Amino acid sequence: MRHLDTESLGMLIAVVDNGGFTAAAERVGRTQSAVSARIAQLEENLGVRLLERSRRGIALTETGERLVAHARRMLAFESEALADLKGGTPEGSVRLGMPDDYVDAYFTPVIARFAAAYPRVEISIRCDLSKTLEPEVERGQIDVALFTRDLSRPTGELLKREKLLWLAARGHRPERQDPLPLALFPTGCRARPHIAAALDEAGLRWRVACTSSSQGGIYSAVETGLCLTAMAECAAPPEWRRLGAGEGLPPLPDLEIGMLLSPNASTAARRLADTLRSALAAPSAVAAA
């Protein structure tokens, strides 16, 4: 009977999350050759290829993606079992980072569940652009980050895909203006290049009418009726108009929501990550800065 070695699975996850064998070896405290050998042995034992290697780096095969999804759950269960056997409830504080427009959709429902299960853990939340949060996790300044992945250089664990929608306030028609007036998050927002590229490829003229680093600022600008926006479906007010081809607007790509965990994450941080993972994987959370 074949068995999955959790240490090898942990190395596979480290390779994926860190974008290669060298960084993964540093993460797990082993040599690059040792990590490579363990992954090769894992592939041989399973009789499948898990990683595709090229000059551009490494990428998971379809089978590799399925195994990594199982592996994350297995390691989470292992961690939980070990913590339970040791006894005690996690204490201390956890620093969580996420873009402002994900707070209501993902943090609000999770905090109640987490606080009830771990009442002695304090959570501090930092809202910023995803490109800012990622390196802060790597430097240990944030314990857990929920963020929009860079599609050209995806990192972290993919939790779900989120639709990017064209939106306007009810009773207003800003999409009829030329050029299109947009309310957007600042330069550095990972959705912004996709929005601009879609409009440019469609040959539509556009201008930035309002820039705001907060979700509230975008809401206020759109509510005036002077501009439209493109926003993750999870953050879209239900009363706003969903726009699309009928209004002459081009399709937009889905966003990928990822999660990063600090290399030295505490038990409390790992429990918060487990809670976020479960919340976003729930059927009600499935949707597609």
Side-chain angles (χ1 to χ4, degrees):
M1 180 182 295
R2 294 177 179 175
H3 295 280
L4 291 170
D5 171 24
T6 55
E7 185 176 3
S8 296
L9 294 178
M11 290 184 184
L12 175 63
I13 290 173
V15 170
V16 173
D17 287 353
N18 291 276
F21 288 92
T22 301
E26 295 177 359
R27 175 74 175 269
V28 301
R30 303 289 292 273
T31 64
Q32 180 178 342
S33 59
V35 173
S36 181
R38 290 296 285 270
I39 300 302
Q41 186 63 52
L42 182 60
E43 291 180 320
E44 183 179 340
N45 291 343
L46 294 174
V48 294
R49 180 172 293 279
L50 302 172
L51 297 171
E52 295 290 354
R53 301 159 177 84
S54 68
R55 293 181 179 179
R56 293 182 296 177
I58 58 98
L60 284 169
T61 63
E62 182 180 347
T63 303
E65 288 184 353
R66 297 204 306 271
L67 177 59
V68 165
H70 289 300
R72 293 189 192 279
R73 291 194 293 270
M74 290 172 63
L75 293 177
F77 286 139
E78 181 185 57
S79 176
E80 183 175 347
L82 291 173
D84 181 63
L85 292 172
K86 292 179 181 178
T89 302
E91 300 181 7
S93 62
V94 178
R95 299 160 298 179
L96 171 66
M98 68 173 61
D100 187 62
D101 50 332
Y102 289 168
V103 172
D104 287 344
Y106 299 130
F107 179 68
T108 301
V110 163
I111 182 62
R113 183 191 312 180
F114 185 81
Y118 308 106
R120 290 186 286 181
V121 176
E122 174 192 350
I123 299 179
S124 60
I125 182 167
R126 167 165 159 65
C127 294
D128 210 326
L129 296 175
S130 297
K131 66 174 295 184
T132 301
L133 297 174
E134 270 193 85
E136 291 186 355
V137 176
E138 297 299 328
R139 293 194 296 264
Q141 296 171 311
I142 293 176
D143 300 307
V144 186
L146 197 67
F147 66 103
T148 304
R149 301 212 302 177
D150 180 350
L151 298 182
S152 67
R153 188 190 56 85
T155 58
E157 175 184 352
L158 174 61
L159 296 187
K160 66 172 294 188
R161 290 180 172 85
E162 186 77 46
K163 291 181 181 177
L164 184 59
L165 303 177
W166 293 111
L167 301 161
R170 191 176 300 277
H172 298 280
R173 297 291 185 273
E175 69 274 13
R176 294 178 178 175
Q177 298 184 39
D178 182 18
L180 288 169
L182 302 178
L184 299 176
F185 286 104
T187 301
C189 166
R190 285 183 172 159
R192 187 163 169 158
H194 301 299
I195 297 167
L199 292 171
D200 290 341
E201 289 173 9
L204 296 175
R205 299 200 309 156
W206 58 278
R207 67 183 180 88
V208 178
C210 176
T211 298
S212 175
S213 60
S214 73
Q215 179 177 302
I218 299 293
Y219 281 0
S220 297
V222 174
E223 282 292 338
T224 66
L226 298 176
C227 50
L228 65 153
T229 191
M231 186 179 291
E233 184 176 31
C234 66
E239 69 274 13
W240 281 6
R241 297 167 50 236
R242 272 61 174 166
L243 311 178
E247 292 75 25
L249 293 170
L252 293 168
D254 289 350
L255 301 176
E256 291 188 351
I257 300 179
M259 181 171 66
L260 276 173
L261 196 59
S262 171
N264 300 314
S266 64
T267 299
R270 294 185 182 278
R271 296 290 176 86
L272 177 58
D274 290 341
T275 305
L276 287 165
R277 186 180 293 113
S278 298
L280 270 72
S284 60
V286 175

